[in-house]
Amino acid sequence: RRELRQMIQKGKVTVDGAVVRKADQAVQPEAHTVCLNGREICGDQYLYVLLHKPKGYVSSADEAGQKSVLELVPPELCRKDLRPVGRLDKDTEGLLLITNDGVLSHDLLAPGKHVWKTYFVRVQGILEDKDIERLENGMDIGDDRMTLPAKVKRLDAVSLSLSADDPGYPGDTESCLELSIREGRFHQVKRMLAGV
């Protein structure tokens, strides 16, 4: 907002061809033509990109020396204000929302909103009922408080629609599950599974 006020004071903004000098001038985007440096701009033009994040990319815009998920956004959709909503670890793959809608991002990520996020987990070892119960009741993962209760759904080869020769087929020493959580602590899913 400070930068916008400075641009207005410098006469870089026009409404219907007239230079604007006051930052509080009311405009209706559907009725007025607003230009910045002679280029027409649109108000509240949000962009939503659903991206399948592959392994090897970070869910960040500014980790030096790392490949960012923003590099995967098609060039015609690239904007400087796009940000990933949440994070998937570098070695994790899955659906990631990328947007410039700050209100939506906040609503999805704010701890107090408790939005459920579901992960497919394949882990070595057989999870027993007591392990599932610990995940579902909340558990200590080394933070200052317990995790919130999770939702857990066991998956077997039938529910995964896999045949025995499929590389994703859960063997006798693995467990597959859907884990839904409503918080987003650092490496939370990995830490929860390591805890059981």
Side-chain angles (χ1 to χ4, degrees):
R1 289 182 183 172
R2 183 176 66 234
E3 291 176 32
L4 180 58
R5 284 192 187 97
Q6 291 171 352
M7 288 186 259
I8 290 172
Q9 290 169 353
K10 292 178 181 176
K12 295 183 176 186
V13 177
T14 62
V15 174
D16 293 336
V19 175
V20 176
R21 295 289 181 184
K22 294 183 179 179
D24 62 352
Q25 178 171 335
V27 295
Q28 297 176 350
E30 66 278 355
H32 296 106
T33 302
V34 180
C35 295
L36 173 62
N37 291 326
R39 186 171 169 207
E40 185 174 346
I41 59 172
C42 301
D44 291 347
Q45 189 175 35
Y46 294 130
L47 179 64
Y48 306 91
V49 177
L50 288 177
L51 174 78
H52 180 268
K53 178 201 161 307
K55 293 178 182 179
Y57 287 81
V58 295
S59 301
S60 174
D62 53 2
E63 284 189 43
Q66 299 290 328
K67 294 187 294 185
S68 168
V69 292
L70 296 176
E71 296 172 28
L72 301 172
V73 175
E76 64 273 14
L77 298 178
C78 284
R79 298 172 52 144
K80 290 183 179 180
D81 57 351
L82 285 179
R83 294 288 177 266
V85 179
R87 296 178 74 103
L88 291 175
D89 296 338
K90 184 176 181 179
D91 62 344
T92 302
E93 60 184 69
L95 185 66
L96 187 65
L97 174 64
I98 300 174
T99 186
N100 60 342
D101 186 340
V103 173
L104 176 65
S105 293
H106 173 77
D107 286 346
L108 292 174
L109 296 174
K113 301 285 185 173
H114 300 297
V115 174
W116 288 96
K117 296 160 240 7
T118 300
Y119 299 84
F120 168 76
V121 179
R122 182 176 175 191
V123 63
Q124 289 182 334
I126 302 300
L127 290 178
E128 299 177 15
D129 289 342
K130 65 181 173 92
D131 301 321
I132 300 294
E133 190 174 307
R134 282 185 63 202
L135 294 168
E136 290 178 333
N137 290 331
M139 57 186 291
D140 182 359
I141 59 171
D143 290 344
D144 56 348
R145 65 190 190 289
M146 302 280 280
T147 64
L148 293 174
K151 294 179 185 175
V152 180
K153 178 181 175 185
R154 291 181 207 248
L155 303 173
D156 57 22
V158 174
S159 64
L160 292 170
S161 300
L162 298 176
S163 62
D165 58 344
D166 190 301
Y169 187 88
D172 295 337
T173 60
E174 295 179 319
S175 297
C176 292
L177 55 111
E178 279 183 8
L179 176 68
S180 297
I181 58 174
R182 44 196 172 128
E183 48 190 346
R185 301 188 201 179
F186 182 74
H187 293 299
Q188 181 173 348
V189 172
K190 290 177 182 177
R191 291 163 63 198
M192 288 175 73
L193 271 294
V196 295

